[in-house]
Amino acid sequence: QVQLVESGGGLVQPGGSLRLSCAASGLALRYYDMGWFRQAPGKEREGVSYISNDNTTTHYMESVKGRFTISRDNAKNTIYLQMNSLKPEDTAIYFCARRRAGYPLSLRPISYEDWGQGTQVTVSS
């Protein structure tokens, strides 16, 4: 059974940092492109970043470029999202997911599957 478990969220002040983790069981992440997504209350889920299975390609949504960094440790079967200079508008539940076979590598949530339960990130003073 495939399971992705996100962790590392919390309450942080504007300008602060958090590091999210996404640990996988039931599949070897080294074979898959992975993505991070977020969903704020009353809004649609949006793609934040993706990373290719071989770690050669990363991409970010415009509003987090220069602040967020996606990475992976295939030996630990885990991907990460380092979030710096956090802003109140980053407040959301953050999810990880793996890209569906046959779908292009993109930030479109429909291209992904095996969603975790998410981890809450709240940026507030």
Side-chain angles (χ1 to χ4, degrees), residues 1 14 16 18-19 21 28 37 42 56 63 67-68 71 75 82-83 92 107-108 119:
Q1 181 180 356
L18 285 173
R19 188 195 195 203
S21 299
F37 300 81
T56 60
S63 63
R67 300 189 297 121
F68 290 12
S71 61
Q82 177 67 44
M83 307 187 296
L107 288 177
R108 298 180 66 206
T119 185

Side-chain angles (χ1 to χ4, degrees), residues 89-122:
E89 51 263 42
D90 296 318
T91 295
I93 300 174
Y94 284 70
F95 303 86
C96 62
R98 64 164 169 162
R99 185 178 62 83
R100 296 177 188 264
Y103 282 71
L105 189 56
S106 75
L107 288 177
R108 298 180 66 206
I110 196 172
S111 297
Y112 291 80
E113 62 184 349
D114 294 327
W115 298 88
Q117 291 298 307
T119 185
Q120 176 71 49
V121 171
T122 303

Side-chain angles (χ1 to χ4, degrees), residues 53-71:
N53 69 313
D54 59 4
N55 222 3
T56 60
T57 302
T58 59
H59 185 69
Y60 301 88
M61 66 184 306
E62 194 63 35
S63 63
V64 308
K65 285 182 180 178
R67 300 189 297 121
F68 290 12
T69 304
I70 192 170
S71 61

Side-chain angles (χ1 to χ4, degrees), residues 7 9 12 45 68 77 87 90 101-102 104 114 118:
S7 62
V12 63
R45 190 168 298 187
F68 290 12
N77 223 26
K87 303 177 180 180
D90 296 318
D114 294 327

